[in-house]
Every structure is written in C-alpha cells, then in structure tokens.
Amino acid sequence: MSEIADLFDLTGKWALVTGARGGLGQAMARALAMAGADIVGLGSTPMPETGQLIEASGRRFLGVQADLSQPNDFRALVAQMEELAGPIDILVNNAGIIRRADVLDYTEADWDVVTNVNEKNLFFLSQAVARGMVSRRFGRIINIASLLSFQGGIRVPAYTASKHAVAGLTKLMANELAASGVTVNAIAPGYMETDNTAALRADPDRQRQILERIPMGRWGVPDDLATAVLFLATPRASYVTGAIIPVDGGWLAR
Ligand code: NAP
C-alpha cells in the first residue's frame, strides 16, 4: 500500500453511519468502505442499495433499523450492533431532517421531530457509542452540521436551532473526550443535491438565488464529502478535534 493510502487506511475498523440509505450518508459510507472500513448503516427504513454497494466493494455491511425521531434504548442498540458486527470505531451522525414553514406558522410537532432526529438523538447515540470508544481509548465521531450551524436560514427554525446545537455539541464532546483518544468533529456541507434540498431546487427563484451566491457556481454532490470524512476518520488525524469543516463551494467565505 502506498504511503498516502496508508495515511487513510481504515482496514479492520467498523464505521456506524446513520441515514446511510441514500444522499450524503450513502456517499460517506462508500468512502469509508473504500478506505477499508466495514459499515453499519442505521436508518428508519431498510437500505438494500447501500448494503449491496458496500459488499460489492469487498467490505462487510450490517443494516440496523431504528427511528431516531423516537426515544431509543441506545445502550442496548449499540450493544446489539457490536455483538453482530464489532466495536464501533467511527460514528458518522448523518441522519437529519428538515421541515419548512414560516416563523408565524411553524408547528410544535415539526419542531419536536426535527429536534429529536437532528439534535437530541445525535447526542444520545453518540453517548452510547462513546462509552465503548472511551474504554478502548480510540474513537472518531463525525457530526454532520450545516451552513445553518453558522447562519439563520429562512423558514427552517427547528433545523437552524438543531444545527447550531450540533456545532455546540461537537465542541462540548470534543472537550470531554479528547483525553480518551476520541476526537469529535463536524462537516458543514453546503447546498448539496439530495432529497433534503429537492424543494429548494424545484423553486426556480430559490435555485437561482442560491446558485448565484455559491462561489463555485454549482450545487455540491454527495461525493464532495468523501475527502472530508476520510480526513476526520483516519487514526492519523489524532490531533484534530472540535473542528467544523465547511464543504460548501466557498459559500461561507462570501
Ligand atoms: P436525505 O437524503 O434526506 O437523507 C437523510 C437520511 O436521514 C436518510 O437516510 C434517512 O433515513 C435518515 N433519517 C431521517 N429521519 C430518520 C429517522 N427518524 N430515523 C432514522 N433515520 C432517519 O438528506 P441528506 O441531504 O443526505 O442529509 C444528510 C445530512 O446532511 C442531514 O443531517 C442534513 O441535515 C445534512 N445536510 C444536508 C445538506 C444538503 O444540502 N443536502 C446541507 C447541509 C447539511 P430513512 O430514509 O431510512 O429514514
């Protein structure tokens, strides 16, 4: 193996990727598998396509179903995964949802479901996985934040609040877990072509406004996150923690 490949080698590691059925989660799971990791994919529905892609690349895949909008016994869930797969070395907290409505109309039901998936259960799943990581003195937790971890956005109050929380929790967990060999970082994707942004791309005015503001002049695609996730996942990135890396075509620089 070349020295460069060695820097990013994840052979023998298990990575748990939430929301890996498609979009950004599937692309990051594939990137991790390309670097040698075996994958546990967690979602609220089965993800046969992701399983096939991972296995076709020669890695092992375990699909797990859990609804992150509901309370879960994460300690038991993680114990079950680790029994069926192996110790989780890398956790990518990617599952996330968005509900759009004007400030004056936003409902408590939308607030609760977005907050549960994007914020509350991101924390409690991380807690359950981190217990094992701390005892093994190694772990990589990678949270998927957003441009709305830094900016206000429009018509997405619960999403903006939850993504600001993801930024804060990334730093808090980084502080507490640093001495145990567990790093906690985040990726803040820009405007990416996935189901999450289908409504924006279907609105010609919003589509034009967004494109005009992206210095790269294009929407991101899921594979644009591959290098960032590998950088944060590798054991060699042992001195990087508490960072939030934008992958946004220059949006935040503008
Ligand atoms: P997506 O295609 O809609 O995928 C979201 C994933 O989250 C799905 O795989 C879904 O799995 C999972 N999920 C949703 N609700 C869940 C629940 N209750 N329980 C378990 N899993 C659940 O969206 P995406 O664009 O790839 O988004 C991935 C992450 O990136 C999200 O955190 C999002 O906020 C963030 N992000 C996206 C963009 C963008 O432009 N697309 C920009 C910044 C940040 P199931 O279908 O199985 O429920």
Side-chain angles (χ1 to χ4, degrees):
M1 187 174 287
S2 76
E3 285 175 32
I4 291 288
D6 189 44
L7 278 178
F8 296 95
D9 184 21
L10 300 177
T11 307
K13 306 242 172 290
W14 277 95
L16 166 57
V17 182
T18 68
R21 186 174 57 79
L24 306 183
Q26 186 185 74
M28 289 188 285
R30 287 177 61 195
L32 293 164
M34 262 187 330
D38 297 308
I39 305 294
V40 180
L42 184 153
S44 69
T45 53
M47 50 183 92
E49 184 185 282
T50 304
Q52 281 158 18
L53 288 167
I54 300 301
E55 284 170 356
S57 71
R59 311 315 321 169
R60 287 175 289 176
F61 177 81
L62 173 69
V64 174
Q65 272 178 256
D67 182 354
L68 295 176
S69 70
Q70 302 298 320
N72 279 272
D73 182 349
F74 287 117
R75 193 187 275 246
L77 190 68
V78 170
Q80 197 186 2
M81 279 177 211
E82 294 195 328
E83 202 178 302
L84 291 170
I88 306 293
D89 306 294
I90 300 160
L91 167 63
V92 182
N93 281 309
N94 164 78
I97 57 168
I98 196 160
R99 293 279 170 88
R100 295 186 170 86
D102 295 342
V103 163
L104 301 190
D105 299 327
Y106 211 81
T107 65
E108 196 172 345
D110 279 350
W111 181 278
D112 287 345
V113 72
V114 170
T115 305
N116 284 345
V117 176
N118 295 9
E119 176 184 340
K120 180 178 172 183
N121 284 331
L122 174 145
F123 176 74
F124 284 106
L125 177 62
S126 300
Q127 178 190 63
V129 174
R131 288 193 179 108
M133 290 176 166
V134 166
S135 71
R136 296 185 294 272
R137 317 268 326 152
F138 177 80
R140 296 282 176 268
I141 298 178
I142 301 165
N143 296 324
I144 303 307
S146 166
L147 298 178
L148 300 190
S149 298
F150 307 101
Q151 302 180 317
I154 300 168
R155 304 186 74 244
V156 288
Y159 187 83
T160 300
S162 69
K163 292 297 184 177
H164 272 65
V166 169
L169 288 170
T170 299
K171 294 175 219 173
L172 174 131
M173 291 194 286
N175 292 337
E176 285 199 35
L177 301 177
S180 305
V182 179
T183 67
V184 187
N185 294 285
I187 298 171
Y191 284 86
M192 316 293 286
E193 287 177 9
T194 68
D195 290 351
N196 176 293
T197 54
L200 291 180
R201 284 176 290 116
D203 175 338
D205 285 341
R206 289 289 285 136
Q207 156 93 310
R208 183 183 43 75
Q209 288 163 356
I210 288 167
L211 262 185
E212 279 174 1
R213 198 192 180 287
I214 302 174
M216 291 287 176
R218 68 166 175 88
W219 286 67
V221 293
D223 280 345
D224 285 324
L225 299 189
T227 46
V229 77
L230 292 182
F231 166 59
L232 295 175
T234 172
R236 300 289 285 270
S238 61
Y239 204 55
V240 180
T241 199
I244 303 173
I245 301 180
V247 181
D248 66 352
W251 175 284
L252 285 175
R254 184 132 175 191

